[in-house]
Amino acid sequence: MKYTGNVIKYGDNVDTDVIIPARYLNTSDHAELASHCMEDIDKSFVNRVKQGDIMVAGENFGCGSSREHAPIAIKASGISLVIAGSFARIFYRNAINIGLAIVECPAAAKEISEGDKVEADLDNGIIRDLTTGREYKTAPFPEFVQKIIENGGLMQSIVNGVF
Amino acid sequence: MAMTMTQKILAAHSGKESVSAGELILADLDLVLGNDITSPVAIKEFRKLGKNSVFDKNKVTMVMDHFAPNKDIKAAEQCKMCRDFCNENDVTHFYDVGEMGIEHALLPEKGLVTAGNVVIGADSHTCTYGALGAFSTGVGSTDMACGMATGKAWFKVPSAIKFNLTGCLRRYVSGKDVILHIIGKIGVDGALYRSMEFTGEGLSSLTMADRLCIANMAIEAGAKNGIFEVDDITLNYIREHGGEEPVIYKADPDAEYDEVIEIDLSAIEPTVAFPHLPENARTFSEIGDVKIDQVVIGSCTNGRLEDLIAAAEIMKGHKCAKNVRVIVIPATQQIYLDAMEMGLIRTFIECGAVVSTPTCGPCLGGYMGILAAGERAVATTNRNFVGRMGHPESEVYLASPATAAASAVTGRITSPWEVMGV
């Protein structure tokens, strides 16, 4: 899969409470969740995010609550890919399960800046910062995880008889 | 191949003689849990499969605890969706208002988890049941849906950090201080993707309430699970609560650990995690005069009877400080009843605290104790992230029930040692 978009950048330990505050968890409507995405740390996010934008963040992205509403809100806001130094494990599973593209790449997470234009080719494990001209290599997903992604998420994998 | 406790449980549940760290497996589940926030998303996913029923009506449980008793119309709709689903599927262990408690206090109390089980829950604090010698871990709603449908979940077998506990806790120091100390030491991603295995001669001095609290916050260090070696204290607890026959998995003596961390329990002091991460742990020599507006004693971390006893001992005969709102939330109906019979509820009310029906409410800024901008709370809960208990400019300080109680009385963050003259 290939993704191209402008970067919106955050720091380390972005938790799922700030991705989507619990006061909005009385709904599971995707558009409604997206309308409050990131608001406790970045009120401007919902207004400036554009379809296809790429979110870049530091270590331990998505830590805290297991709420799947968090990757849902990010995906529904238009973000096409999240690049982070590392992901908290429940968020990592949830993103794969619902089909939000994510990739771990500490060097890219560190060097890419807010507003840069980035192109990511996950099949070949390459991230290019088109603004700075720098290129980064990423590790491929384990085959098992790749299968879930190829089948369009966990539920579809079950329907397709992968398990 | 030598294995850790967690690896042995996962091997046994995936039909393998042994597993090693990094291996991907499909494991059989003994219990699948959801609450009123995560289950509706799971139910929607489940329906996409076109299945008529859950894999085993006795192995799926839903607990209406986060926004229940219903805080608003939308919360009511979510609980209704769970209720209807559980009725349709004849789910045995559906806990609604009247029977429900905070899920991670309720399930062990009801004997629904035993040693050697594999449990997933669409709630990050599902790792609590590691205190019972089970592998249990938090997942999202789609994993929950898949678990409800198939009775299976995929896992990457984790490596582990071993915590070797020695010594014995000092007076007014509890499991909460231990886990805040540990997270302060290793950081909020210090155990990322890994197991935290607790063992050593110090275990014998830790009550089940201490262990449940420690395992509960393993997720705050990024861990996949926290797990305690099973001993007589565990077995007695499981027996008393009518749990199924325990299966004990002991780590092999030559099991490989990423790291072994020595914890001397007798050296641990009352500890507080400052905003906005649980790793910002400080002891009282590093805490100045921090005025507070609210105290919350409760949650899946610290809403157990032992926690209420510890708080009441300190609050008895005192009054809550002026302008400090103190909210006490027994985690289950049984705990509420026991606390009432022991006179603890009277102590709290006479002190000037309010006592609520079980709910997760304030811990996640849901309802019942939301903070205004600039306000500070000392809470026995598990997270102090930005906006966790209300306004994004409010602050949460995580502490033990004893420290929270001492702070309620003085109106500033206070060590129980100060109030009790230790």
Side-chain angles (χ1 to χ4, degrees):
Chain A
M1 287 291 286
K2 275 192 182 163
Y3 306 86
T4 309
N6 293 317
V7 167
I8 296 181
K9 187 157 184 186
Y10 298 104
D12 292 339
N13 302 312
V14 173
D15 61 78
T16 53
D17 273 274
V18 297
I19 295 172
I20 182 71
R23 57 186 178 275
Y24 303 119
L25 296 185
N26 53 7
T27 180
S28 54
D29 179 75
H30 293 196
E32 203 176 333
L33 291 169
S35 72
H36 298 292
C37 191
M38 310 306 288
E39 75 175 30
D40 279 1
I41 53 165
D42 179 7
K43 281 201 167 40
S44 70
F45 174 80
V46 289
N47 295 321
R48 66 197 171 103
V49 65
K50 298 210 169 43
Q51 195 63 38
D53 278 357
I54 293 174
M55 192 180 278
V56 178
E59 301 297 321
N60 203 27
F61 185 86
C63 61
S65 158
S66 67
R67 60 191 71 162
E68 207 160 285
H69 313 65
I72 289 171
I74 291 174
K75 191 179 177 192
S77 75
I79 292 287
S80 62
L81 168 71
V82 183
I83 301 170
S86 63
F87 290 93
R89 59 162 288 276
I90 303 176
F91 184 92
Y92 184 91
R93 280 183 87 97
N94 288 348
I96 288 165
N97 287 345
I98 69 151
L100 168 67
I102 55 169
V103 65
E104 281 189 347
C105 185
K110 209 177 225 169
E111 292 174 13
I112 293 173
S113 306
E114 169 84 27
D116 286 2
K117 190 162 189 170
V118 163
E119 182 185 85
D121 175 354
L122 296 192
D123 296 333
N124 294 304
I126 293 167
I127 297 171
R128 277 190 204 93
D129 186 330
L130 301 175
T131 307
T132 62
R134 288 200 180 124
E135 197 172 290
Y136 308 92
K137 291 227 175 330
T138 67
F141 283 115
E143 202 183 325
F144 188 84
V145 174
Q146 192 70 46
K147 238 190 244 173
I148 295 175
I149 296 168
E150 281 166 11
N151 280 276
L154 187 65
M155 297 318 277
Q156 201 52 44
S157 306
I158 296 177
V159 172
N160 296 351
V162 174
F163 298 106
Chain B
M1 174 96 197
M3 290 187 283
T4 65
M5 265 183 272
T6 294
Q7 289 165 356
K8 281 196 174 173
I9 297 174
L10 289 177
H13 281 75
S14 56
K16 290 170 188 279
E17 226 158 79
S18 79
V19 295
S20 49
E23 193 175 335
L24 286 151
I25 57 153
L26 201 57
D28 292 324
L29 303 172
D30 296 301
L31 193 65
V32 178
L33 159 74
N35 58 49
D36 52 309
I37 283 177
T38 58
S39 301
V41 180
I43 292 167
K44 280 188 195 166
E45 288 299 315
F46 182 89
R47 298 216 194 276
K48 287 184 190 164
L49 289 175
K51 286 225 175 199
N52 292 326
S53 60
V54 297
F55 85 105
D56 185 334
K57 70 188 182 79
N58 296 316
K59 293 185 176 179
V60 170
T61 178
M62 287 188 198
V63 185
M64 305 298 96
D65 58 358
H66 275 59
F67 291 167
N70 306 334
K71 81 174 179 108
D72 53 25
I73 294 170
K74 284 178 171 178
E77 296 291 349
Q78 297 201 130
C79 286
K80 184 170 184 295
M81 188 175 178
C82 298
R83 192 175 303 117
D84 290 347
F85 180 85
C86 286
N87 282 337
E88 268 167 45
N89 284 274
D90 199 20
V91 167
T92 316
H93 305 293
F94 173 65
Y95 296 102
D96 209 338
V97 173
E99 273 192 306
M100 68 83 163
I102 297 176
E103 51 195 334
H104 309 307
L106 187 71
L107 267 48
E109 182 188 285
K110 295 279 183 193
L112 291 187
V113 182
T114 193
N117 277 173
V118 169
V119 180
I120 61 165
D123 186 282
S124 61
H125 293 108
T126 302
C127 51
T128 308
Y129 318 126
L132 299 165
F135 171 80
S136 71
T137 190
V139 296
S141 297
T142 300
D143 274 314
M144 179 192 171
C146 170
M148 289 199 297
T150 64
K152 292 177 193 297
W154 66 272
F155 297 109
K156 190 159 134 187
V157 176
S159 61
I161 303 175
K162 176 156 129 177
F163 292 86
N164 189 37
L165 310 181
T166 55
C168 180
L169 291 177
R170 293 156 78 181
R171 193 86 178 91
Y172 306 113
V173 177
S174 66
K176 183 60 159 289
D177 301 295
V178 176
I179 191 63
L180 291 177
H181 169 81
I182 289 173
I183 298 167
K185 207 174 159 101
I186 68 174
V188 289
D189 59 355
L192 194 59
Y193 301 121
R194 299 186 278 182
S195 301
M196 295 168 79
E197 295 205 352
F198 297 94
T199 181
E201 45 104 353
L203 276 191
S204 60
S205 73
L206 295 179
T207 64
M208 278 313 295
D210 287 325
R211 299 177 192 195
L212 288 159
C213 169
I214 293 169
N216 173 274
M217 286 189 71
I219 178 69
E220 308 321 330
K224 184 167 217 149
N225 68 317
I227 190 166
F228 278 75
E229 192 170 300
V230 174
D231 62 8
D232 286 343
I233 295 173
T234 332
L235 296 175
N236 285 338
Y237 181 94
I238 293 170
R239 215 170 292 132
E240 277 169 20
H241 291 84
E244 279 181 24
E245 194 56 31
V247 183
I248 301 171
Y249 295 94
K250 224 173 141 66
D252 288 318
D254 54 344
E256 263 184 50
Y257 289 92
D258 289 350
E259 211 177 330
V260 178
I261 296 178
E262 299 290 334
I263 302 288
D264 176 4
L265 296 174
S266 62
I268 292 177
E269 296 180 19
T271 303
V272 178
F274 273 49
H276 289 286
L277 285 175
E279 71 183 15
N280 298 334
R282 295 192 199 173
T283 52
F284 277 86
S285 60
E286 311 156 297
I287 298 173
D289 185 26
V290 185
K291 295 267 189 306
I292 56 168
D293 305 284
Q294 179 167 296
V295 170
V296 174
I297 298 172
S299 84
C300 60
T301 313
N302 280 129
R304 297 183 182 81
L305 189 62
E306 292 84 342
D307 300 318
L308 302 187
I309 293 171
E313 185 188 340
I314 289 166
M315 288 161 78
K316 197 171 176 65
H318 290 279
K319 285 279 176 207
C320 295
K322 193 169 161 52
N323 294 328
V324 177
R325 304 157 333 241
V326 182
I327 302 166
V328 180
I329 309 180
T332 67
Q333 292 286 78
Q334 187 60 51
I335 295 168
Y336 205 143
L337 258 182
D338 292 344
M340 196 171 73
E341 279 165 13
M342 290 176 75
L344 308 180
I345 305 291
R346 170 172 285 277
T347 300
F348 294 133
I349 293 175
E350 284 179 350
C351 183
V354 294
V355 183
S356 156
T357 181
T359 180
C360 305
C363 171
L364 73 164
Y367 72 130
M368 289 278 305
I370 304 302
L371 299 172
E375 288 193 326
R376 292 196 188 111
V378 172
T380 67
T381 55
N382 40 57
R383 293 195 173 122
N384 54 356
F385 300 151
V386 171
R388 175 75 179 178
M389 199 174 275
H391 196 281
E393 283 159 33
S394 62
E395 294 181 342
V396 176
Y397 295 74
L398 304 176
S400 71
T403 299
S407 307
V409 167
T410 63
R412 57 183 164 77
I413 299 178
T414 302
S415 167
W417 289 353
E418 181 190 321
V419 172
M420 302 307 280
V422 175

